[in-house]
């Protein structure tokens, strides 16, 4: 919701969040986290069906971002459920009941991060939140303003990381399990794994709508857009436009096409490298450890458009 110059200042204050060196550094712990989650999934599968969504796709993103921000692991279930509720406000026409739930969750998340910032001020460390506090203290003489900036960064990063990456991990597994043979194809050609992650992002983007408000009268193709009007960019539709993608309904891990799932321009997603790493790490381990995985039932979906959300995704062993 920010424009330059404040947006530029906020973005500069974070630096490059996930550069190559950092990703190499966390790769091992990411692989360990994935292995631990797959142990749990494997255990469940021994006695029948298991929910891939709750055991894997909802866990890895909160472990990655929570671990990076150095938030207590005991808080992860609460943070996940608050973010699930908070994003309801971003739906196209949220009913009042959903807005109320979203408001409550926003308040609790705001209180949560206010407390985290108070604690990090008392005992600063090498974590990102402490480092943002140092950066903002150096740039902003007003302590309240500095805290407000750090607060919105921490809040937004958590929010941006969870639903989105969960959806990516779910879709990736779903697209591969839907068509028998895709799993084996990737096992034989692991170099195609990053392509499978990208194609999942294209095929079913985690965020289907990106909003913009026109700063002046303008035109988009044949449509006139007046100053102050809101435009919804329908990412899912763009990704299935046959003028852009040949056979868009075909899930093709070799497609190698670019996509808009991480947005574009000055707001381009800061967490894209982390989300990709999670996808590649999970898929690599999944193919290796559970080649006999199959879909046990069609997944259940929440009735949401902006943030796509699977609520249950039952898998079993063949
Ligand atoms: C598959 C996972 C993800 C998807 C699909 C995704 C998607 C997006 C999109 C579409 C935007 C641009 C929104 C706009 O233009 O209005 C965005 C921005 C952003 N994302 Fe992500 N995201 C993902 C994961 C993450 C993660 C893991 C993080 C955190 C580390 C993150 C942090 C951010 C931030 C901070 C921005 C705002 C950038 C700005 O406004 O300058 N995202 N993301």
């Amino acid at each position: 919701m920010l424009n330059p110059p404040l947006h530029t200042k906020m973005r500069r204050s974070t630096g490059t969040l996930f550069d190559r060196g950092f990703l190499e550094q966390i790769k091992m712990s990411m692989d360990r986290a994935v292995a631990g989650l797959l142990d749990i999934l494997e255990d469940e599968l021994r006695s029948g069906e298991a929910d891939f969504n709750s055991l894997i796709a909802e866990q890895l993103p909160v472990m990655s971002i929570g671990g990076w921000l150095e938030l207590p692991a005991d808080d992860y279930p609460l943070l996940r459920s608050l973010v699930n509720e908070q994003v309801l406000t971003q739906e196209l026409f949220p009913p009042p009941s959903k807005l109320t739930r979203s408001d409550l969750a926003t308040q609790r998340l705001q209180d949560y991060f206010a407390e985290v910032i108070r604690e990090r001020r008392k005992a600063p460390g090498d974590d990102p939140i402490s480092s943002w506090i140092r950066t903002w203290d150096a740039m902003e003489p007003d302590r309240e303003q500095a805290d407000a900036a750090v607060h919105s960064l921490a809040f937004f990063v958590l929010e941006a990381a969870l639903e989105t990456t969960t959806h990516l991990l779910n879709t990736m597994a779903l697209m591969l399990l839907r068509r028998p043979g895709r799993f084996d194809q990737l096992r034989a050609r692991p170099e195609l794994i990053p392509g499978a992650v990208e194609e999942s992002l294209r095929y079913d983007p985690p965020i289907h709508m990106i909003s913009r408000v026109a700063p002046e009268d303008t035109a988009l193709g044949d449509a006139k857009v007046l100053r102050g009007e809101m435009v919804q960019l329908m990412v899912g539709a763009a990704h299935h436009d046959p003028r852009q993608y040949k056979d868009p309904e075909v899930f093709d891990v070799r497609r190698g096409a670019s996509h808009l799932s991480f947005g574009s321009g000055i707001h381009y997603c800061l967490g894209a490298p982390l989300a990709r790493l999670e996808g590649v790490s999970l898929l690599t381990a999944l193919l290796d450890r559970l080649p006999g995985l199959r879909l046990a039932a069609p997944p259940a979906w929440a009735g949401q458009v902006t943030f796509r959300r699977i609520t249950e995704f039952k898998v079993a062993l063949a």
Side-chain angles (χ1 to χ4, degrees):
M1 291 296 202
L2 293 182
N3 283 326
L6 184 53
H7 172 262
T8 321
K9 197 171 169 187
M10 288 291 267
R11 193 134 175 158
R12 281 209 188 116
S13 75
T14 65
T16 309
L17 291 188
F18 305 107
D19 61 18
R20 189 172 295 186
F22 178 76
L23 292 178
E24 274 163 19
Q25 208 180 307
I26 61 166
K27 190 182 172 311
M28 257 168 59
S29 59
M30 176 80 73
D31 289 344
R32 260 199 312 274
V34 166
L37 291 174
L38 291 185
D39 286 345
I40 298 170
L41 180 69
E42 232 176 354
D43 263 2
E44 286 274 317
L45 287 169
R46 273 193 208 110
S47 45
E49 294 176 0
D51 183 11
F52 185 87
N53 175 53
S54 61
L55 295 176
I56 307 286
E58 286 194 339
Q59 303 300 334
L60 187 60
V62 76
M63 288 163 79
S64 306
I65 205 76
W68 178 63
L69 293 174
E70 298 188 14
L71 304 174
D74 286 349
D75 295 348
Y76 294 171
L78 172 71
L79 293 172
R80 255 198 351 257
S81 74
L82 290 178
V83 169
N84 284 345
E85 297 274 297
Q86 207 286 329
V87 299
L88 294 175
T89 196
Q90 296 182 43
E91 286 302 307
L92 193 48
F93 301 114
S97 60
K98 287 195 175 167
L99 286 177
T100 306
R101 281 163 57 192
S102 177
D103 280 351
L104 281 173
T106 306
Q107 190 56 55
R108 290 188 67 190
L109 281 166
Q110 280 175 344
D111 294 346
Y112 181 89
F113 281 111
E115 183 56 31
V116 170
I117 292 171
R118 266 195 297 278
E119 280 170 11
R120 302 284 157 105
R121 276 208 176 277
K122 271 192 246 150
D126 288 334
D127 59 287
I129 297 179
S130 300
S131 125
W132 295 335
I133 292 176
R134 283 190 286 274
T135 306
W136 276 90
D137 280 351
M139 285 193 312
E140 176 59 68
D142 181 334
R143 171 71 68 91
E144 262 182 43
Q145 297 275 0
D147 277 358
V150 176
H151 187 280
S152 52
L153 277 174
F155 184 118
F156 189 72
V157 159
L158 178 84
E159 164 135 338
L162 295 194
E163 300 272 302
T164 50
T165 316
T166 294
H167 183 69
L168 165 63
L169 305 181
N170 271 329
T171 328
M172 217 174 62
L174 179 62
M175 293 315 295
L176 294 173
L177 296 180
R178 252 190 194 156
R179 179 75 54 84
R182 278 189 186 143
F183 237 55
D184 294 340
Q185 180 199 9
L186 269 189
R187 283 191 80 210
R189 303 271 315 270
E191 72 278 11
L192 295 177
I193 288 174
V197 174
E198 295 310 307
E199 180 65 346
S200 306
L201 285 162
R202 180 202 68 89
Y203 195 91
D204 191 349
I207 298 179
H208 267 220
M209 280 169 29
I210 298 180
S211 319
R212 289 292 184 270
V213 176
E216 56 198 43
D217 292 355
T218 183
L220 268 182
D222 297 335
K224 270 197 188 138
V225 184
L226 300 180
R227 181 168 184 266
E229 280 184 340
M230 185 178 265
V231 176
Q232 303 290 352
L233 309 165
M234 307 306 287
V235 182
H239 285 181
H240 287 259
D241 182 348
R243 288 168 301 181
Q244 295 294 331
Y245 299 96
K246 187 171 175 286
D247 301 327
E249 302 313 315
V250 175
F251 181 82
D252 179 2
V253 301
R254 294 168 212 225
R255 186 180 291 274
S258 60
H259 56 73
L260 294 170
S261 276
F262 292 120
S264 164
I266 62 166
H267 293 284
Y268 186 81
C269 178
L270 274 167
L274 181 67
R276 286 182 162 125
L277 180 67
E278 288 179 50
V280 169
S281 171
L282 175 61
L283 198 46
T284 308
L286 202 59
L287 291 165
D288 181 41
R289 287 185 50 179
L290 293 168
L293 201 66
R294 65 172 178 82
L295 203 57
W301 292 83
Q304 291 173 203
V305 180
T306 308
F307 282 86
R308 300 273 284 161
R309 184 166 174 230
I310 284 177
T311 52
E312 191 180 71
F313 178 6
K314 285 286 173 76
V315 290
L317 286 178

